[in-house]
Amino acid sequence: MQLIIFLIKQSNICTTMGKGITKRSEDYSAWYNELVKQADLAENSPVRGCMVIKPHGYAIWEKMQAVLDQKFKETGHYNAYFPIFIPKSYFSKEASHVEGFAKECAVVTHYRLKNNPQGEGVIVDPEAKLEEELIVRPTSETVIWDSYKNWIQSYRDLPILLNQWANVVRWEMRTRLFLRTAEFLWQEGHTAHATKQEAEEEAIQMMHVYADFVENYMAVPVLRGVKTESERFAGALETYCIEALMQDGKALQAGTSHFLGQNFAKAFDVKFADKNGKLEYVWGTSWGVSTRLMGALIMAHSDDNGLVLPPKLAPTQVVIIPIFRNADELEAIAEVANQLVADLRAQDITVTFDKRDTYKPGWKFAEYEQKGVPVRIAIGPRDLANNQVEVARRDTKEKQAMSLEGLAAAIKILLDDIQQNLLVKALAFRKENTSYVDSYNEFKQVLEEKGGFIYAHWDGSAETEELIKNETKATIRLIPLEEGEPGTCMVTGKPSKQRVVFAKAY
RNA sequence: CGGGAUGUGGCGCAGUCCGGUAGCGCACUCCGUUAGGGACGGAGAGGUCGCAGGUUCAAAUCCUGUCAUCCCGACCA
């Protein structure tokens, strides 16, 4: 009996392979690229390294934004907007900051075009050269701290808790849709505080806000920790981060939160008078997540049939597909379907009733599967006769007949179950792909054969970190927050306070 | 910026070696049959072969230049 079920499942898979995508096992990278396009999330733009985010992809991003925005507001932050252009001179004010971003900045040098006097087209008007070039923001610390200088005089002006939703540009050499694009969308929080402790607490808080979002909405488990000095954000004293594991065993940095110390306050001369009238530099943080989260979402759950979305972030949670031969049949089905739509909406479930007669049911099944709609309900004449519907869940691809009686409530429970199942599956995968090693040879072997997160002892030096990176391409993803057992470095044998997490990363 | 490759209807490709006036699959339009996992048949529409020169009676094809994109490295959310 089990064998028969297995065969049926196999044949189902085969029939959907007609316009399928490359399997993960064959070429993970190709699978990802094809999936992004097939699921209608995004495509390459005419400009190298930039992407067009298509409606379905953008709808998912909007869901993410909505949840995050609410969380930011709940933690006391306000949204604001600063300009996309930053005067070049601002970048020279914080030395390590410019070091970190100079190599990937887009620069505006002119403000006018004119018709080409030599012939076709337009040229940049050489007369219209800017006095000072403008940098297209790669991040906004500099322009924001320049404003903070004017906004902050007294301890009464603090804290300032701002966030902005924006696009930024980093001229990357190699790009991939969502994971690394020359222009990307993100949010960047920028806060200013009177004390070191408060700023540190803010940075840590936001790391936890991110982790909570990624785990409870994206259903992707993350490790929390701090970056090593060499992986730290340019201009930060401490970078808190969350790291997720993708299905190919590589790590993805899902969010970062930086404790900036007084670096930017000093660079932009932002001081405040404390209660004793003494002038002090302001303490700062910055934190961000980007459309890269889309990449994490895709790579964490999706399968060889296409996108798999957690219900909490799916723009459409349920699709209803009628199966009919003629207008009369459709009418009978629509009566039931419309009632079901109303019932589902009453439960705050987003639902689409796709009664188009321009596409066949099989085509629609494949289409919604590829786009990751969590639950599909099919209703045909046979179902109407039995007062039931066929319900299929995207995550496990299981199908079952369900009674129309109390269906909306049952679907609500099913959606919760899918959300939960995705996280459980991802947690199990991470557990399977997490290793503890004590020798460098073992480390190399595990990295080569299995990948994943590897906990190992490290002597704390940048030299050893660099050596491991050069020899194995693995980097220290983070130093866990919780105190660990001391040991000895797997490479040098020098003492180590605790294990750190290594992985190959995106 | 080093190494490799590719530019031909909307997409994916063949044709290039050996010059002879452009073809296949998908998608698209119309008609009919179909409809519980990406239907079938028939009839159509759509391309200055990346761009600029050159050779030739004749160039997608040969030569020169140029631009762009992709992949592998160094760099990065």
Side-chain angles (χ1 to χ4, degrees), chain A residues 16 172 174 180-181 184 292 369-370 376 382-383:
Chain A
T16 58
E172 299 287 354
R174 295 193 57 202
R180 180 167 299 111
T181 46
F184 56 92
R292 185 178 230 208
E369 198 164 278
Q370 213 158 47
R376 179 187 74 228
R382 268 189 344 234
D383 299 303

mmCIF file of all heavy atoms in Angstrom, chain A residues 16 172 174 180-181 184 292 369-370 376 382-383, chain B residues 1 35-39 69 72-74 76-77:
data_model
loop_
_atom_site.group_PDB
_atom_site.id
_atom_site.type_symbol
_atom_site.label_atom_id
_atom_site.label_comp_id
_atom_site.label_asym_id
_atom_site.label_seq_id
_atom_site.Cartn_x
_atom_site.Cartn_y
_atom_site.Cartn_z
ATOM 1 N N THR A 16 4.462 17.284 -13.230
ATOM 2 C CA THR A 16 4.622 18.722 -13.041
ATOM 3 C C THR A 16 5.977 19.208 -13.535
ATOM 4 O O THR A 16 6.281 20.375 -13.460
ATOM 5 C CB THR A 16 4.508 19.099 -11.556
ATOM 6 O OG1 THR A 16 5.505 18.387 -10.843
ATOM 7 C CG2 THR A 16 3.142 18.796 -11.009
ATOM 8 N N GLU A 172 28.174 46.457 -6.356
ATOM 9 C CA GLU A 172 28.802 45.162 -6.144
ATOM 10 C C GLU A 172 29.342 44.598 -7.450
ATOM 11 O O GLU A 172 28.771 44.809 -8.522
ATOM 12 C CB GLU A 172 27.770 44.183 -5.568
ATOM 13 C CG GLU A 172 27.203 44.594 -4.234
ATOM 14 C CD GLU A 172 28.198 44.413 -3.102
ATOM 15 O OE1 GLU A 172 29.280 43.865 -3.335
ATOM 16 O OE2 GLU A 172 27.866 44.841 -1.972
ATOM 17 N N ARG A 174 29.658 41.267 -8.161
ATOM 18 C CA ARG A 174 28.819 40.151 -8.620
ATOM 19 C C ARG A 174 27.492 40.196 -7.886
ATOM 20 O O ARG A 174 27.449 40.317 -6.676
ATOM 21 C CB ARG A 174 29.518 38.823 -8.353
ATOM 22 C CG ARG A 174 30.788 38.678 -9.162
ATOM 23 C CD ARG A 174 31.271 37.256 -9.129
ATOM 24 N NE ARG A 174 30.224 36.371 -9.635
ATOM 25 C CZ ARG A 174 30.183 35.079 -9.345
ATOM 26 N NH1 ARG A 174 31.061 34.555 -8.564
ATOM 27 N NH2 ARG A 174 29.231 34.328 -9.848
ATOM 28 N N ARG A 180 22.065 39.760 -3.550
ATOM 29 C CA ARG A 180 23.027 40.850 -3.645
ATOM 30 C C ARG A 180 22.763 41.599 -4.928
ATOM 31 O O ARG A 180 23.058 41.113 -6.008
ATOM 32 C CB ARG A 180 24.465 40.308 -3.627
ATOM 33 C CG ARG A 180 25.514 41.406 -3.734
ATOM 34 C CD ARG A 180 26.911 40.920 -3.417
ATOM 35 N NE ARG A 180 26.959 40.427 -2.055
ATOM 36 C CZ ARG A 180 27.111 39.156 -1.730
ATOM 37 N NH1 ARG A 180 27.275 38.264 -2.660
ATOM 38 N NH2 ARG A 180 27.126 38.791 -0.470
ATOM 39 N N THR A 181 22.184 42.774 -4.817
ATOM 40 C CA THR A 181 21.905 43.581 -6.001
ATOM 41 C C THR A 181 22.547 44.958 -5.809
ATOM 42 O O THR A 181 22.820 45.367 -4.680
ATOM 43 C CB THR A 181 20.384 43.753 -6.213
ATOM 44 O OG1 THR A 181 19.768 44.090 -4.964
ATOM 45 C CG2 THR A 181 19.774 42.465 -6.744
ATOM 46 N N PHE A 184 19.220 48.017 -3.587
ATOM 47 C CA PHE A 184 18.274 47.179 -2.868
ATOM 48 C C PHE A 184 17.419 48.019 -1.930
ATOM 49 O O PHE A 184 17.726 49.178 -1.641
ATOM 50 C CB PHE A 184 18.962 46.027 -2.136
ATOM 51 C CG PHE A 184 20.043 46.420 -1.158
ATOM 52 C CD1 PHE A 184 19.753 46.641 0.178
ATOM 53 C CD2 PHE A 184 21.360 46.535 -1.575
ATOM 54 C CE1 PHE A 184 20.760 46.971 1.088
ATOM 55 C CE2 PHE A 184 22.374 46.870 -0.677
ATOM 56 C CZ PHE A 184 22.080 47.089 0.657
ATOM 57 N N ARG A 292 17.182 41.307 0.938
ATOM 58 C CA ARG A 292 17.902 40.047 1.037
ATOM 59 C C ARG A 292 17.087 39.001 1.817
ATOM 60 O O ARG A 292 17.224 37.800 1.600
ATOM 61 C CB ARG A 292 19.228 40.284 1.750
ATOM 62 C CG ARG A 292 20.074 39.083 1.790
ATOM 63 C CD ARG A 292 21.386 39.400 2.452
ATOM 64 N NE ARG A 292 22.448 38.917 1.615
ATOM 65 C CZ ARG A 292 23.630 38.542 2.074
ATOM 66 N NH1 ARG A 292 23.907 38.693 3.344
ATOM 67 N NH2 ARG A 292 24.541 38.091 1.272
ATOM 68 N N GLU A 369 1.172 26.558 -7.381
ATOM 69 C CA GLU A 369 2.188 25.786 -6.679
ATOM 70 C C GLU A 369 3.540 26.479 -6.824
ATOM 71 O O GLU A 369 4.278 26.659 -5.863
ATOM 72 C CB GLU A 369 2.251 24.402 -7.306
ATOM 73 C CG GLU A 369 2.919 23.362 -6.475
ATOM 74 C CD GLU A 369 2.563 21.992 -7.016
ATOM 75 O OE1 GLU A 369 1.475 21.509 -6.683
ATOM 76 O OE2 GLU A 369 3.355 21.439 -7.797
ATOM 77 N N GLN A 370 3.848 26.873 -8.041
ATOM 78 C CA GLN A 370 5.119 27.531 -8.303
ATOM 79 C C GLN A 370 5.235 28.855 -7.546
ATOM 80 O O GLN A 370 6.310 29.258 -7.144
ATOM 81 C CB GLN A 370 5.227 27.779 -9.803
ATOM 82 C CG GLN A 370 6.619 27.703 -10.339
ATOM 83 C CD GLN A 370 6.620 27.412 -11.830
ATOM 84 O OE1 GLN A 370 5.891 28.019 -12.602
ATOM 85 N NE2 GLN A 370 7.442 26.481 -12.250
ATOM 86 N N ARG A 376 -4.484 25.252 -1.378
ATOM 87 C CA ARG A 376 -5.308 25.287 -2.581
ATOM 88 C C ARG A 376 -6.584 24.481 -2.327
ATOM 89 O O ARG A 376 -6.534 23.376 -1.786
ATOM 90 C CB ARG A 376 -4.558 24.655 -3.748
ATOM 91 C CG ARG A 376 -5.373 24.640 -5.038
ATOM 92 C CD ARG A 376 -4.668 23.856 -6.114
ATOM 93 N NE ARG A 376 -4.734 22.424 -5.893
ATOM 94 C CZ ARG A 376 -3.692 21.609 -5.962
ATOM 95 N NH1 ARG A 376 -2.509 22.079 -6.231
ATOM 96 N NH2 ARG A 376 -3.850 20.311 -5.754
ATOM 97 N N ARG A 382 -18.129 16.793 -8.624
ATOM 98 C CA ARG A 382 -18.067 15.633 -7.731
ATOM 99 C C ARG A 382 -18.067 16.046 -6.266
ATOM 100 O O ARG A 382 -18.693 15.412 -5.424
ATOM 101 C CB ARG A 382 -16.780 14.853 -8.014
ATOM 102 C CG ARG A 382 -16.978 13.758 -9.033
ATOM 103 C CD ARG A 382 -15.803 12.812 -9.203
ATOM 104 N NE ARG A 382 -14.514 13.182 -8.693
ATOM 105 C CZ ARG A 382 -13.407 13.208 -9.423
ATOM 106 N NH1 ARG A 382 -13.459 12.944 -10.721
ATOM 107 N NH2 ARG A 382 -12.257 13.490 -8.889
ATOM 108 N N ASP A 383 -17.340 17.157 -5.984
ATOM 109 C CA ASP A 383 -17.266 17.641 -4.596
ATOM 110 C C ASP A 383 -18.619 18.180 -4.148
ATOM 111 O O ASP A 383 -19.063 17.925 -3.039
ATOM 112 C CB ASP A 383 -16.210 18.738 -4.476
ATOM 113 C CG ASP A 383 -14.829 18.227 -4.844
ATOM 114 O OD1 ASP A 383 -14.391 17.256 -4.215
ATOM 115 O OD2 ASP A 383 -14.219 18.797 -5.764
ATOM 116 P P C B 1 38.602 47.888 -15.983
ATOM 117 O OP1 C B 1 38.513 49.091 -15.170
ATOM 118 O OP2 C B 1 39.297 47.929 -17.292
ATOM 119 O "O5'" C B 1 39.285 46.754 -15.082
ATOM 120 C "C5'" C B 1 40.575 46.963 -14.531
ATOM 121 C "C4'" C B 1 41.066 45.702 -13.886
ATOM 122 O "O4'" C B 1 40.273 45.400 -12.698
ATOM 123 C "C3'" C B 1 40.953 44.423 -14.701
ATOM 124 O "O3'" C B 1 41.955 44.313 -15.698
ATOM 125 C "C2'" C B 1 41.102 43.362 -13.618
ATOM 126 O "O2'" C B 1 42.454 43.206 -13.260
ATOM 127 C "C1'" C B 1 40.325 43.996 -12.465
ATOM 128 N N1 C B 1 38.951 43.453 -12.371
ATOM 129 C C2 C B 1 38.771 42.224 -11.715
ATOM 130 O O2 C B 1 39.767 41.662 -11.234
ATOM 131 N N3 C B 1 37.537 41.696 -11.623
ATOM 132 C C4 C B 1 36.503 42.343 -12.159
ATOM 133 N N4 C B 1 35.305 41.786 -12.052
ATOM 134 C C5 C B 1 36.649 43.585 -12.834
ATOM 135 C C6 C B 1 37.890 44.103 -12.918
ATOM 136 P P A B 35 -13.306 16.736 -21.226
ATOM 137 O OP1 A B 35 -13.133 15.340 -20.774
ATOM 138 O OP2 A B 35 -14.627 17.308 -21.397
ATOM 139 O "O5'" A B 35 -12.463 17.672 -20.242
ATOM 140 C "C5'" A B 35 -11.083 17.398 -20.003
ATOM 141 C "C4'" A B 35 -10.512 18.517 -19.168
ATOM 142 O "O4'" A B 35 -10.806 19.774 -19.804
ATOM 143 C "C3'" A B 35 -11.108 18.601 -17.759
ATOM 144 O "O3'" A B 35 -10.129 19.150 -16.882
ATOM 145 C "C2'" A B 35 -12.204 19.619 -17.931
ATOM 146 O "O2'" A B 35 -12.523 20.316 -16.755
ATOM 147 C "C1'" A B 35 -11.551 20.579 -18.928
ATOM 148 N N9 A B 35 -12.528 21.335 -19.699
ATOM 149 C C8 A B 35 -13.541 20.866 -20.470
ATOM 150 N N7 A B 35 -14.257 21.800 -21.027
ATOM 151 C C5 A B 35 -13.664 22.980 -20.584
ATOM 152 C C6 A B 35 -13.953 24.322 -20.806
ATOM 153 N N6 A B 35 -14.970 24.735 -21.570
ATOM 154 N N1 A B 35 -13.170 25.235 -20.223
ATOM 155 C C2 A B 35 -12.146 24.815 -19.454
ATOM 156 N N3 A B 35 -11.773 23.583 -19.160
ATOM 157 C C4 A B 35 -12.585 22.696 -19.761
ATOM 158 P P G B 36 -8.900 18.307 -16.372
ATOM 159 O OP1 G B 36 -7.756 18.736 -17.184
ATOM 160 O OP2 G B 36 -9.286 16.872 -16.320
ATOM 161 O "O5'" G B 36 -8.639 18.841 -14.898
ATOM 162 C "C5'" G B 36 -9.574 18.597 -13.896
ATOM 163 C "C4'" G B 36 -8.934 17.841 -12.757
ATOM 164 O "O4'" G B 36 -9.871 17.815 -11.679
ATOM 165 C "C3'" G B 36 -8.600 16.383 -13.063
ATOM 166 O "O3'" G B 36 -7.469 16.026 -12.293
ATOM 167 C "C2'" G B 36 -9.841 15.641 -12.555
ATOM 168 O "O2'" G B 36 -9.542 14.327 -12.118
ATOM 169 C "C1'" G B 36 -10.221 16.479 -11.355
ATOM 170 N N9 G B 36 -11.629 16.519 -11.029
ATOM 171 C C8 G B 36 -12.720 16.157 -11.772
ATOM 172 N N7 G B 36 -13.853 16.339 -11.139
ATOM 173 C C5 G B 36 -13.470 16.855 -9.912
ATOM 174 C C6 G B 36 -14.239 17.256 -8.800
ATOM 175 O O6 G B 36 -15.458 17.248 -8.675
ATOM 176 N N1 G B 36 -13.442 17.717 -7.774
ATOM 177 C C2 G B 36 -12.071 17.794 -7.795
ATOM 178 N N2 G B 36 -11.472 18.264 -6.714
ATOM 179 N N3 G B 36 -11.337 17.426 -8.833
ATOM 180 C C4 G B 36 -12.102 16.971 -9.832
ATOM 181 P P G B 37 -6.056 15.887 -12.939
ATOM 182 O OP1 G B 37 -6.169 15.494 -14.366
ATOM 183 O OP2 G B 37 -5.251 15.078 -12.009
ATOM 184 O "O5'" G B 37 -5.542 17.401 -12.892
ATOM 185 C "C5'" G B 37 -5.186 18.086 -14.111
ATOM 186 C "C4'" G B 37 -3.683 18.297 -14.169
ATOM 187 O "O4'" G B 37 -3.241 18.877 -12.923
ATOM 188 C "C3'" G B 37 -2.859 17.029 -14.356
ATOM 189 O "O3'" G B 37 -1.686 17.338 -15.092
ATOM 190 C "C2'" G B 37 -2.421 16.665 -12.942
ATOM 191 O "O2'" G B 37 -1.198 15.965 -12.895
ATOM 192 C "C1'" G B 37 -2.235 18.063 -12.360
ATOM 193 N N9 G B 37 -2.373 18.143 -10.910
ATOM 194 C C8 G B 37 -3.367 17.632 -10.130
ATOM 195 N N7 G B 37 -3.193 17.901 -8.867
ATOM 196 C C5 G B 37 -2.014 18.626 -8.823
ATOM 197 C C6 G B 37 -1.312 19.193 -7.727
ATOM 198 O O6 G B 37 -1.613 19.168 -6.543
ATOM 199 N N1 G B 37 -0.162 19.837 -8.131
ATOM 200 C C2 G B 37 0.264 19.937 -9.430
ATOM 201 N N2 G B 37 1.394 20.583 -9.639
ATOM 202 N N3 G B 37 -0.371 19.412 -10.472
ATOM 203 C C4 G B 37 -1.494 18.787 -10.079
ATOM 204 P P G B 38 -1.792 17.635 -16.686
ATOM 205 O OP1 G B 38 -3.005 17.162 -17.354
ATOM 206 O OP2 G B 38 -0.455 17.212 -17.136
ATOM 207 O "O5'" G B 38 -1.870 19.211 -16.671
ATOM 208 C "C5'" G B 38 -0.780 19.980 -16.244
ATOM 209 C "C4'" G B 38 -0.893 21.351 -16.831
ATOM 210 O "O4'" G B 38 0.013 22.228 -16.136
ATOM 211 C "C3'" G B 38 -0.536 21.443 -18.319
ATOM 212 O "O3'" G B 38 -1.351 22.466 -18.852
ATOM 213 C "C2'" G B 38 0.905 21.951 -18.278
ATOM 214 O "O2'" G B 38 1.218 22.721 -19.435
ATOM 215 C "C1'" G B 38 0.863 22.859 -17.082
ATOM 216 N N9 G B 38 2.100 23.180 -16.383
ATOM 217 C C8 G B 38 3.185 22.420 -16.081
ATOM 218 N N7 G B 38 4.097 23.092 -15.406
ATOM 219 C C5 G B 38 3.564 24.354 -15.278
ATOM 220 C C6 G B 38 4.067 25.525 -14.656
ATOM 221 O O6 G B 38 5.112 25.678 -14.054
ATOM 222 N N1 G B 38 3.184 26.584 -14.776
ATOM 223 C C2 G B 38 1.969 26.537 -15.412
ATOM 224 N N2 G B 38 1.245 27.653 -15.434
ATOM 225 N N3 G B 38 1.471 25.456 -15.992
ATOM 226 C C4 G B 38 2.329 24.424 -15.882
ATOM 227 P P A B 39 -2.432 21.965 -19.961
ATOM 228 O OP1 A B 39 -2.612 23.080 -20.923
ATOM 229 O OP2 A B 39 -3.560 21.431 -19.183
ATOM 230 O "O5'" A B 39 -1.748 20.708 -20.638
ATOM 231 C "C5'" A B 39 -1.582 20.667 -22.035
ATOM 232 C "C4'" A B 39 -2.537 19.651 -22.622
ATOM 233 O "O4'" A B 39 -3.895 20.022 -22.278
ATOM 234 C "C3'" A B 39 -2.519 19.622 -24.140
ATOM 235 O "O3'" A B 39 -1.476 18.782 -24.598
ATOM 236 C "C2'" A B 39 -3.903 19.075 -24.464
ATOM 237 O "O2'" A B 39 -3.952 17.689 -24.333
ATOM 238 C "C1'" A B 39 -4.753 19.716 -23.350
ATOM 239 N N9 A B 39 -5.431 20.935 -23.767
ATOM 240 C C8 A B 39 -5.209 22.206 -23.312
ATOM 241 N N7 A B 39 -6.020 23.110 -23.860
ATOM 242 C C5 A B 39 -6.802 22.369 -24.715
ATOM 243 C C6 A B 39 -7.844 22.733 -25.582
ATOM 244 N N6 A B 39 -8.297 23.974 -25.729
ATOM 245 N N1 A B 39 -8.426 21.748 -26.302
ATOM 246 C C2 A B 39 -7.979 20.497 -26.165
ATOM 247 N N3 A B 39 -7.004 20.034 -25.371
ATOM 248 C C4 A B 39 -6.460 21.029 -24.670
ATOM 249 P P U B 69 26.453 45.164 -18.774
ATOM 250 O OP1 U B 69 25.655 45.839 -17.737
ATOM 251 O OP2 U B 69 27.936 45.194 -18.702
ATOM 252 O "O5'" U B 69 25.988 43.649 -18.873
ATOM 253 C "C5'" U B 69 24.619 43.335 -19.045
ATOM 254 C "C4'" U B 69 24.460 41.896 -19.452
ATOM 255 O "O4'" U B 69 25.179 41.664 -20.693
ATOM 256 C "C3'" U B 69 25.061 40.881 -18.499
ATOM 257 O "O3'" U B 69 24.209 40.616 -17.395
ATOM 258 C "C2'" U B 69 25.247 39.673 -19.408
ATOM 259 O "O2'" U B 69 24.021 39.014 -19.635
ATOM 260 C "C1'" U B 69 25.689 40.342 -20.708
ATOM 261 N N1 U B 69 27.157 40.398 -20.859
ATOM 262 C C2 U B 69 27.791 39.257 -21.319
ATOM 263 O O2 U B 69 27.188 38.234 -21.600
ATOM 264 N N3 U B 69 29.154 39.358 -21.443
ATOM 265 C C4 U B 69 29.932 40.468 -21.167
ATOM 266 O O4 U B 69 31.144 40.413 -21.336
ATOM 267 C C5 U B 69 29.204 41.600 -20.679
ATOM 268 C C6 U B 69 27.875 41.530 -20.550
ATOM 269 P P C B 72 29.486 31.461 -10.908
ATOM 270 O OP1 C B 72 28.955 30.537 -9.898
ATOM 271 O OP2 C B 72 29.305 32.918 -10.752
ATOM 272 O "O5'" C B 72 31.044 31.175 -11.094
ATOM 273 C "C5'" C B 72 31.516 29.876 -11.411
ATOM 274 C "C4'" C B 72 33.016 29.874 -11.535
ATOM 275 O "O4'" C B 72 33.402 30.573 -12.750
ATOM 276 C "C3'" C B 72 33.759 30.624 -10.449
ATOM 277 O "O3'" C B 72 33.882 29.875 -9.255
ATOM 278 C "C2'" C B 72 35.102 30.897 -11.120
ATOM 279 O "O2'" C B 72 35.908 29.747 -11.153
ATOM 280 C "C1'" C B 72 34.639 31.229 -12.539
ATOM 281 N N1 C B 72 34.439 32.682 -12.718
ATOM 282 C C2 C B 72 35.555 33.489 -12.948
ATOM 283 O O2 C B 72 36.678 32.962 -12.995
ATOM 284 N N3 C B 72 35.391 34.829 -13.108
ATOM 285 C C4 C B 72 34.170 35.357 -13.044
ATOM 286 N N4 C B 72 34.051 36.665 -13.201
ATOM 287 C C5 C B 72 33.017 34.560 -12.799
ATOM 288 C C6 C B 72 33.189 33.234 -12.645
ATOM 289 P P G B 73 34.117 30.648 -7.885
ATOM 290 O OP1 G B 73 34.229 29.621 -6.840
ATOM 291 O OP2 G B 73 33.141 31.756 -7.750
ATOM 292 O "O5'" G B 73 35.557 31.272 -8.122
ATOM 293 C "C5'" G B 73 36.162 32.029 -7.099
ATOM 294 C "C4'" G B 73 37.479 32.560 -7.588
ATOM 295 O "O4'" G B 73 37.374 32.940 -8.988
ATOM 296 C "C3'" G B 73 37.957 33.836 -6.881
ATOM 297 O "O3'" G B 73 38.653 33.535 -5.687
ATOM 298 C "C2'" G B 73 38.834 34.486 -7.922
ATOM 299 O "O2'" G B 73 40.122 33.903 -7.961
ATOM 300 C "C1'" G B 73 38.085 34.131 -9.221
ATOM 301 N N9 G B 73 37.132 35.172 -9.614
ATOM 302 C C8 G B 73 35.766 35.059 -9.667
ATOM 303 N N7 G B 73 35.163 36.152 -10.054
ATOM 304 C C5 G B 73 36.199 37.040 -10.275
ATOM 305 C C6 G B 73 36.172 38.398 -10.710
ATOM 306 O O6 G B 73 35.186 39.078 -11.002
ATOM 307 N N1 G B 73 37.446 38.935 -10.807
ATOM 308 C C2 G B 73 38.603 38.265 -10.508
ATOM 309 N N2 G B 73 39.735 38.950 -10.655
ATOM 310 N N3 G B 73 38.652 37.007 -10.099
ATOM 311 C C4 G B 73 37.420 36.461 -10.012
ATOM 312 P P A B 74 38.115 34.133 -4.326
ATOM 313 O OP1 A B 74 38.791 33.400 -3.247
ATOM 314 O OP2 A B 74 36.639 34.206 -4.357
ATOM 315 O "O5'" A B 74 38.698 35.613 -4.350
ATOM 316 C "C5'" A B 74 40.035 35.877 -3.957
ATOM 317 C "C4'" A B 74 40.385 37.309 -4.268
ATOM 318 O "O4'" A B 74 40.180 37.535 -5.685
ATOM 319 C "C3'" A B 74 39.523 38.362 -3.588
ATOM 320 O "O3'" A B 74 39.986 38.696 -2.294
ATOM 321 C "C2'" A B 74 39.608 39.539 -4.555
ATOM 322 O "O2'" A B 74 40.820 40.235 -4.413
ATOM 323 C "C1'" A B 74 39.600 38.801 -5.901
ATOM 324 N N9 A B 74 38.238 38.607 -6.393
ATOM 325 C C8 A B 74 37.562 37.425 -6.548
ATOM 326 N N7 A B 74 36.345 37.555 -7.012
ATOM 327 C C5 A B 74 36.213 38.921 -7.169
ATOM 328 C C6 A B 74 35.145 39.703 -7.633
ATOM 329 N N6 A B 74 33.980 39.206 -8.026
ATOM 330 N N1 A B 74 35.321 41.043 -7.681
ATOM 331 C C2 A B 74 36.505 41.538 -7.259
ATOM 332 N N3 A B 74 37.575 40.906 -6.816
ATOM 333 C C4 A B 74 37.365 39.585 -6.794
ATOM 334 P P C B 76 35.368 42.753 1.770
ATOM 335 O OP1 C B 76 35.843 43.561 2.902
ATOM 336 O OP2 C B 76 35.222 41.283 1.933
ATOM 337 O "O5'" C B 76 34.003 43.360 1.246
ATOM 338 C "C5'" C B 76 32.949 43.598 2.135
ATOM 339 C "C4'" C B 76 31.661 43.757 1.384
ATOM 340 O "O4'" C B 76 31.789 43.129 0.087
ATOM 341 C "C3'" C B 76 30.458 43.054 2.007
ATOM 342 O "O3'" C B 76 29.840 43.865 2.988
ATOM 343 C "C2'" C B 76 29.564 42.801 0.813
ATOM 344 O "O2'" C B 76 28.837 43.956 0.471
ATOM 345 C "C1'" C B 76 30.584 42.510 -0.289
ATOM 346 N N1 C B 76 30.840 41.066 -0.487
ATOM 347 C C2 C B 76 29.814 40.253 -1.011
ATOM 348 O O2 C B 76 28.728 40.757 -1.278
ATOM 349 N N3 C B 76 30.064 38.929 -1.199
ATOM 350 C C4 C B 76 31.253 38.417 -0.892
ATOM 351 N N4 C B 76 31.447 37.117 -1.102
ATOM 352 C C5 C B 76 32.302 39.216 -0.352
ATOM 353 C C6 C B 76 32.049 40.521 -0.170
ATOM 354 P P A B 77 29.222 43.186 4.358
ATOM 355 O OP1 A B 77 29.758 43.987 5.450
ATOM 356 O OP2 A B 77 29.403 41.738 4.359
ATOM 357 O "O5'" A B 77 27.671 43.454 4.208
ATOM 358 C "C5'" A B 77 26.857 43.405 5.381
ATOM 359 C "C4'" A B 77 25.563 42.722 5.007
ATOM 360 O "O4'" A B 77 24.719 43.660 4.312
ATOM 361 C "C3'" A B 77 25.729 41.561 4.047
ATOM 362 O "O3'" A B 77 25.926 40.356 4.775
ATOM 363 C "C2'" A B 77 24.459 41.550 3.235
ATOM 364 O "O2'" A B 77 23.508 40.740 3.815
ATOM 365 C "C1'" A B 77 24.018 43.010 3.304
ATOM 366 N N9 A B 77 24.280 43.661 2.026
ATOM 367 C C8 A B 77 25.321 44.454 1.656
ATOM 368 N N7 A B 77 25.248 44.879 0.415
ATOM 369 C C5 A B 77 24.065 44.324 -0.050
ATOM 370 C C6 A B 77 23.422 44.380 -1.289
ATOM 371 N N6 A B 77 23.900 45.072 -2.327
ATOM 372 N N1 A B 77 22.252 43.711 -1.443
ATOM 373 C C2 A B 77 21.797 43.016 -0.403
ATOM 374 N N3 A B 77 22.317 42.886 0.818
ATOM 375 C C4 A B 77 23.464 43.578 0.932
#
